[in-house]
Amino acid sequence: MTTEASPGPRRRSGRRPRPRDVAVGALALFLVIFVLLAVQLASGRDPALAPASATVGTQRPAVVQRIPVEPEDSEEGDGSSEDEDSGAQSHQPAPAPAPAPAPLTTRAS
Amino acid sequence: MSEHDVAFPCMGCELRLVIGPPDAAAAAAAARAELEWIDAQLSRFRPDSELSRLNADPRTAVPASPLLRAAVRAAVWAAQRTDGLVDPTLVGALERAGYARSRAGETAPPLAAALGEAPPRRPARPQPGARWRLIEVDEAAGSVSRPPGLAIDSGGIGKGLAADLLARRLRAHARFAVDAAGDLRVGGTRTAGRAHEIEIAHPWEKAPVGTLRIADGAVATSGVGSRLWARPDGGYGHHLLDPASGLPAWTGVIAATALAPTALEAETRAKAALLSGPLGARRWLAEHGGVIVNDDGTPEWIGPARRQRLQQPRPRVRIALPPAGAA
């Protein structure tokens, strides 16, 4: 009986992590997350400013648009001769895009 | 979303309006007319402007329109806010420094040459007499009081005020931007997720210092390079004076950009930052953010502006200034 009872406590003590290991693991995890957040902040991607920063890399620098030509309206207007017009348009090169408007600029005045 | 974008000469510079629906074109036309009217009333260079007539009036208390009272109040507010560093009573010193006429359209000499000839850098200081404290606006009587002969200059404060007045008129539009020659006020009802992007021009480089994203607010830039001229004695003058000396201020900062809720405040902070030099500028720009450009062309981002910038500034090329006295 003593030989059967003794392995039980040994197995339990072998599986239970030592407090020191738990502390070291928690500290390591904390440091990893801390470093990740620090790198993210240093690169300008503050998670507290997520809505603003999320668009930083995707938006065009020019924000102002001049009055744009609305292609939907012009196509509707040509609908009476749909086949001819659409065929003719398909062979023509696409019109050059309108020049981008100058960005708003603050300068010494 | 269609926006009406129009630029036109006004206030000695090119002004620009970008207005979204509704009725963008009509709103832009009305806004332009208002800006031209403000210029006609507040220009120091027009003898028939209400400001010029006030400055020439021999009476102590002079009846003034609501616009002129607002402009004088704004100028006094800027002086109070900066303890006299932004002083509206330097008209005589400006004229003696060479700014007696509008220099609109004139080609400025190279800023590098002026920096090479400039005296040792030091922060500007308020005028000891603080004559701006003698100016009073009486709303009940509809008048402005000041000692006869004490001339008032609206200057950049007038541009900031104009941008703010226009913003009040345009606040119901989806988007709007009022560019009053360096003083910008932007806003609108549909700017969420699509903020205005504003480039900050470098004093001499083609590439901008950076780009800001602002949904609703103002940004203004004050600098020595735009109104710069060569004096007959071989030196250089510009329009930003040290109130204490009455001479052009050379502080180590050649341009300062300030963010603020209103264009008037942005203009005031930008000018105070430039006049205060690199160390003092940080204090003026800390609350709302801003950028200064030092004498060697290097920019420094300050306060919240660092979070609102879009682009990392590329490395700046330092210019080699000619030694003082060199031909």
Side-chain angles (χ1 to χ4, degrees):
Chain A
M1 289 182 61
T2 52
T3 54
E4 289 177 1
S6 59
R10 278 199 202 110
R11 275 198 300 274
R12 282 196 298 274
S13 64
R15 286 180 180 175
R16 179 186 299 165
R18 289 183 299 177
R20 181 181 169 189
D21 294 341
V22 172
V24 169
L27 182 62
L29 182 62
F30 169 78
L31 287 175
V32 167
I33 294 173
F34 183 84
V35 168
L36 283 174
L37 286 173
V39 169
Q40 189 180 4
L41 279 172
S43 64
R45 289 173 291 139
D46 190 340
L49 302 173
S53 58
T55 58
V56 164
T58 58
Q59 285 209 343
R60 295 170 58 230
V63 67
V64 181
Q65 294 180 343
R66 292 182 188 278
I67 300 173
V69 177
E70 297 180 1
E72 293 83 2
D73 292 346
S74 59
E75 286 174 6
E76 286 172 5
D78 294 337
S80 57
S81 54
E82 189 176 359
D83 292 340
E84 288 179 12
D85 287 353
S86 61
Q89 286 176 359
S90 66
H91 293 295
Q92 289 177 351
L104 290 169
T105 304
T106 178
R107 56 169 53 87
S109 60
Chain B
M1 186 192 305
S2 61
E3 291 178 342
H4 197 80
D5 186 342
V6 59
F8 51 95
C10 187
M11 299 183 177
C13 305
E14 184 176 90
L15 272 57
R16 186 177 173 195
L17 297 166
V18 184
I19 302 175
D23 299 328
R32 174 177 179 170
E34 186 166 342
L35 281 170
E36 289 171 339
W37 179 72
I38 292 172
D39 182 34
Q41 297 305 309
L42 299 183
S43 173
R44 174 167 65 89
F45 303 116
R46 295 185 180 204
D48 59 338
S49 74
E50 191 179 9
L51 178 64
S52 294
R53 284 186 273 120
L54 168 69
N55 287 339
D57 200 300
R59 293 173 292 180
T60 299
V62 181
S65 69
L67 173 65
L68 183 59
R69 296 201 304 272
V72 174
R73 266 203 321 274
V76 172
W77 176 86
Q80 287 173 336
R81 182 71 183 77
T82 61
D83 242 349
L85 202 54
V86 178
D87 191 328
T89 65
L90 303 178
V91 175
L94 277 169
E95 292 176 349
R96 286 191 294 277
Y99 201 22
R101 67 176 194 282
S102 171
R103 291 183 173 270
E106 293 183 10
T107 302
L111 181 54
L115 289 168
E117 296 289 332
R121 313 304 191 251
R122 66 179 184 187
R125 288 169 292 115
Q127 185 187 146
R131 301 192 74 200
W132 56 270
R133 294 187 190 278
L134 304 174
I135 303 172
E136 290 181 358
V137 178
D138 188 335
E139 289 295 336
S143 65
V144 172
S145 301
R146 82 282 174 263
L150 180 62
I152 300 170
D153 181 27
S154 59
I157 296 297
K159 292 173 184 169
L161 176 68
D164 288 337
L165 291 174
L166 263 292
R168 196 177 303 172
R169 173 195 282 268
L170 299 171
R171 62 188 169 192
H173 289 260
R175 293 167 60 80
F176 70 84
V178 181
D179 178 359
D183 292 16
L184 276 94
R185 179 77 188 265
V186 300
T189 58
R190 293 184 205 163
T191 57
R194 191 166 167 250
H196 298 268
E197 295 178 6
I198 300 169
E199 287 185 355
I200 302 173
H202 192 276
W204 58 70
E205 290 186 22
K206 287 184 178 176
V209 171
T211 302
L212 295 164
R213 298 186 75 240
I214 302 175
D216 187 1
V219 57
T221 297
S222 196
V224 303
S226 58
R227 292 285 191 268
L228 179 71
W229 55 86
R231 296 198 311 256
D233 63 2
Y236 293 88
H238 63 80
H239 70 306
L240 299 174
L241 302 188
D242 179 346
S245 66
L247 300 173
W250 301 97
T251 66
V253 175
I254 52 174
T257 298
L259 285 75
T262 66
L264 172 61
E265 183 175 350
E267 165 70 26
T268 302
R269 287 181 180 273
K271 189 171 287 185
L274 186 141
L275 292 173
S276 299
L279 293 178
R282 292 171 194 145
R283 183 169 65 89
W284 287 110
L285 302 180
E287 183 176 355
H288 299 297
V291 185
I292 59 172
V293 179
N294 296 304
D295 274 6
D296 62 0
T298 54
E300 179 183 347
W301 292 72
I302 298 168
R306 286 181 289 199
R307 293 198 301 268
Q308 292 176 259
R309 64 192 286 196
L310 259 182
Q311 302 169 349
Q312 297 292 329
R314 64 186 181 82
R316 296 287 158 203
V317 178
R318 289 174 183 261
I319 60 166
L321 299 177

